[in-house]
Amino acid sequence: MIRAALFQSARCASRSVIRTQLPASRAIAPCLSVPSTCYTPTSRYPGIRCYSAPAGLSKTEVEGRIMDMLKNFDKVKDASKLSNTSHFSNDLGLDSLDTVEVVMAIEEEFSIEIPDKEADGILSSESLD
């Protein structure tokens, strides 16, 4: 896929050079000289696409993934006490090292990095909002 994008980018770049050398009569409609498979060069790399998610995760999705992760966490003593407001040490019986492991698991789950100052303040799943 990357190779195809690079080849398409090279083709578009070579055609954009040809397009700039056209007579003034065709310069009015430059899109006629480039096939529709190429993109109009708005930047230095005309044929490269950037993909991203249309929107972020909803709050219910995030809460569900965190709850599933905590249910499967082997050091949670009583999973029946697990809720959005349950405190890690008081309700779930996790010590400070376990809390660090939970924060690290959340970082891995969502591919994010939580700064240490903010990670120290996470004491319940409610404080993750």
Side-chain angles (χ1 to χ4, degrees):
M1 184 170 163
I2 293 173
R3 188 174 74 165
L6 289 174
F7 284 133
Q8 185 176 2
S9 176
R11 280 195 304 261
C12 290
S14 67
R15 288 183 180 139
S16 66
V17 171
I18 294 169
R19 183 179 70 207
T20 58
Q21 297 171 353
L22 292 175
S25 63
R26 291 204 50 204
I28 296 171
C31 60
L32 296 176
S33 63
V34 179
S36 62
T37 58
C38 295
Y39 300 101
T40 306
T42 57
S43 68
R44 198 172 158 177
Y45 307 103
I48 296 176
R49 293 183 183 179
C50 297
Y51 297 99
S52 67
L57 297 173
S58 68
K59 184 175 179 177
T60 56
E61 281 182 292
V62 172
E63 287 175 352
R65 286 171 67 177
I66 291 174
M67 288 300 151
D68 290 339
M69 185 194 61
L70 288 172
K71 285 177 188 174
N72 295 328
F73 193 64
D74 56 341
K75 295 185 181 178
V76 173
K77 295 177 183 175
D78 191 9
S80 64
K81 292 183 180 180
L82 189 61
S83 70
N84 288 341
T85 58
S86 41
H87 195 272
F88 288 153
S89 62
N90 297 342
D91 298 329
L92 302 178
L94 301 177
D95 61 5
S96 60
L97 184 59
D98 296 333
T99 304
V100 171
E101 289 179 17
V102 167
V103 171
M104 289 174 52
I106 291 170
E107 288 178 336
E108 289 177 16
E109 176 75 23
F110 294 101
S111 299
I112 59 171
E113 185 174 333
I114 301 173
D116 291 337
K117 288 182 181 180
E118 293 180 18
D120 292 339
I122 298 176
L123 301 174
S124 67
S125 57
E126 186 178 69
S127 59
L128 291 169
D129 295 335

